[in-house]
Amino acid sequence: MRNLPVKLGLSLPNRGVLFGLSTVDALIQAAELADQSDVFESVWFGDSLIHKPRLEAIVMLAAVSTRTRRVRLGTICMASFPVRDPVLLAIQWASLDQVSNGRTILGICIGGGYEPELRAFRVKKEERVGRLKEGMLLLRQLWKEGEVNHQGRFYSLTGCEIIPKPKQKLPPIWIAVSPDRSKVGDKVVDQAMRRVGELADGYITMGVTREEFQRRWDVIQAAAEENGRDLSTFETSIHGMVNINESKRNAYEESRFYFDHYYGPGYPTKEMIKVWLAHGPPEECATLIQSWIDMGITTPVLRFTSYDQLKQLQLFIEQVLPHLRVK
């Protein structure tokens, strides 16, 4: 039975720097403010390499790790995980874990299957799930003491031992996945949730209704039980969008600019925005965020869809937080 505290996270737009949404200095200042507050417990960056370019996530986390002391540091979704070499990534992430004094969370996913990126790294689209599963296995083996001998479908290692090891015994690996049931069907959604229950240390979703989240959680729990896994400390997260503005229309329009540039025109849909974008006056923002918490989200990670990250942070702390039940 889970009885976990609510831990608020801050997601910073490292892609937004490329189209004028923010600056590197503003992102680092926002991370420092989050660290100095008693409100935010983690700081996150998104990831992609060729598809949806941005300042590289591990580099940004390393920069922020030297300017913070308390918050956990994570990738809200390492979409490039299937194309990254697991030995190199194991060394990079262990180094980051050492630099941050054991504060990392590696959030991964299979990515969107962007063909030019896959070709650049000699990976096929249909290999992504297999590479995610095998890559997770290898990371955990490499982070332990001793040599790794592995003959898998995608990777082959003989007498491989990496140094440094992480500061944490095993840095947690969370899986981010949020398939649209109406498009892919029940079988695909259930397969994705079973992977979470079988392999992950935490789960990250995007905008979702209470009913859909419960259906997913039921499958995650069943898969974990079948594999003898204890979910009592298992965190569930939403990468939730927020824009605080007394004018709901202005909040929406600024968010729409953000979405069009960050994700591409047409995404998210109006239906998804209803469950994914907390926008408008503080009380209205708090209402949607509280609904995420009430449906079972333990770790809401908030992304401010605004030009002014620092102002939004302050508004959240001063005007939205008092309306939330997070203790």
Side-chain angles (χ1 to χ4, degrees):
M1 180 70 179
R2 292 191 312 159
N3 185 23
L4 301 177
V6 175
K7 300 177 180 179
L8 292 170
L10 172 65
S11 172
L12 294 172
N14 47 327
R15 177 163 164 76
V17 173
L18 304 186
F19 58 85
L21 185 73
S22 189
T23 66
V24 173
D25 286 346
L27 297 185
I28 293 176
Q29 289 171 29
E32 289 179 308
L33 179 57
D35 189 61
Q36 292 160 9
S37 75
D38 61 355
V39 174
F40 290 94
E41 189 271 342
S42 56
V43 171
W44 306 71
F45 287 99
D47 165 83
S48 182
L49 296 176
I50 297 172
H51 188 214
K52 295 185 175 69
R54 68 197 69 207
L55 301 181
E56 203 276 334
I58 298 177
V59 171
M60 291 302 301
L61 288 168
V64 165
S65 75
T66 68
R67 304 281 286 271
T68 58
R69 292 293 178 267
R70 182 184 59 81
V71 289
R72 292 186 292 173
L73 303 170
T75 47
I76 196 63
C77 173
M78 183 174 276
S80 62
F81 186 81
V83 305
R84 290 185 184 244
D85 179 86
V87 178
L88 176 58
L89 179 57
I91 295 168
Q92 290 173 314
W93 203 261
S95 300
L96 177 64
D97 203 59
Q98 286 284 351
V99 170
S100 67
N101 197 30
R103 290 186 282 136
T104 67
I105 302 170
L106 177 57
I108 66 172
C109 63
I110 65 169
Y114 182 60
E115 290 292 351
E117 180 167 299
L118 294 171
R119 287 196 300 270
F121 293 97
R122 299 175 296 281
V123 170
K124 296 179 180 178
K125 189 172 184 177
E126 61 271 18
E127 296 175 346
R128 291 174 298 152
V129 171
R131 286 180 180 272
L132 179 137
K133 294 166 71 173
E134 192 173 337
M136 290 179 72
L137 172 67
L138 269 179
L139 285 182
R140 287 167 172 156
Q141 289 180 332
L142 289 163
W143 285 335
K144 295 176 181 177
E145 295 299 328
E147 294 183 347
V148 174
N149 296 288
H150 172 86
Q151 299 297 321
R153 180 183 172 193
F154 303 108
Y155 309 109
S156 177
L157 301 178
T158 302
C160 180
E161 181 175 9
I162 69 157
I163 297 175
K165 302 297 184 184
K167 179 77 172 180
Q168 300 177 84
K169 185 176 181 180
L170 278 180
I173 304 177
W174 296 10
I175 291 180
V177 60
S178 194
D180 185 336
R181 191 180 295 272
S182 67
K183 293 181 178 178
V184 302
D186 294 342
K187 182 179 179 180
V188 172
V189 176
D190 288 352
Q191 286 174 337
M193 296 309 120
R194 288 193 62 82
R195 282 197 298 276
V196 173
E198 292 167 2
L199 300 172
D201 301 311
Y203 172 54
I204 304 168
T205 183
M206 296 177 77
V208 66
T209 64
R210 175 191 286 266
E211 294 74 21
E212 174 62 23
F213 181 79
Q214 187 61 53
R215 289 183 70 178
R216 295 181 187 183
W217 181 241
D218 288 344
V219 177
I220 292 170
Q221 283 185 302
E225 184 175 345
E226 289 169 18
N227 286 270
R229 304 189 68 216
D230 178 10
L231 298 187
S232 60
T233 60
F234 188 97
E235 293 180 57
T236 48
S237 177
I238 185 171
H239 190 207
M241 306 291 114
V242 182
N243 191 300
I244 308 159
N245 194 313
E246 287 298 335
S247 167
K248 190 160 186 172
R249 178 174 181 175
N250 289 346
Y252 177 83
E253 289 179 352
E254 187 177 32
S255 299
R256 187 74 265 172
F257 174 87
Y258 169 90
F259 291 139
D260 288 346
H261 287 76
Y262 224 91
Y263 299 109
Y267 184 90
T269 64
K270 289 183 178 179
E271 286 303 309
M272 188 175 182
I273 282 175
K274 291 178 183 177
V275 295
W276 195 41
L277 174 63
H279 67 293
E283 297 86 348
E284 291 193 39
C285 291
T287 297
L288 184 55
I289 295 169
Q290 187 66 52
S291 75
W292 301 336
I293 296 168
D294 292 344
M295 75 184 185
I297 296 296
T298 66
T299 313
V301 176
L302 309 181
R303 168 71 64 85
F304 294 108
T305 56
S306 169
Y307 287 105
D308 197 334
Q309 297 290 306
L310 294 173
K311 182 179 179 181
Q312 288 282 302
L313 258 174
Q314 293 285 7
L315 285 172
F316 178 84
I317 292 170
E318 295 170 4
Q319 299 185 27
V320 177
L321 184 65
H323 297 283
L324 296 176
R325 302 184 303 277
V326 295
K327 300 297 184 183

